[in-house]
């Protein structure tokens, strides 16, 4: 997890998970529309996942 990816997830969460697949982008986008903080948290969790 790079510092640029973390900064991108704070500024615009859906762009930070663009390489993780369509489902991740959709989930983060919906959470960002509902509230900025849930979108950031979801993006950081998806980025931090060691399996992908």
């Amino acid at each position: 997890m790079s510092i640029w990816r973390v900064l991108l997830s704070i500024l615009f969460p859906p762009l930070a998970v663009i390489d993780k697949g369509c489902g991740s982008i959709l989930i983060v986008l919906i959470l960002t529309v509902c509230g900025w903080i849930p979108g950031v948290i979801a993006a950081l969790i998806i980025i931090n996942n060691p399996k992908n």
Side-chain angles (χ1 to χ4, degrees):
M1 184 167 66
S2 69
I3 189 74
W4 301 112
R5 182 70 58 105
V6 173
L7 288 175
L8 188 60
S9 70
I10 292 171
L11 296 175
F12 192 67
L15 281 181
V17 296
I18 199 136
D19 63 338
K20 301 295 184 182
C22 183
S24 298
I25 296 170
L26 187 61
I27 290 170
V28 173
L29 182 65
I30 291 170
L31 286 172
T32 303
V33 168
C34 290
W36 177 70
I37 292 176
V40 170
I41 293 171
L44 289 173
I45 289 172
I46 291 171
I47 291 170
N48 231 3
N49 189 3
K51 293 182 183 178
N52 294 330

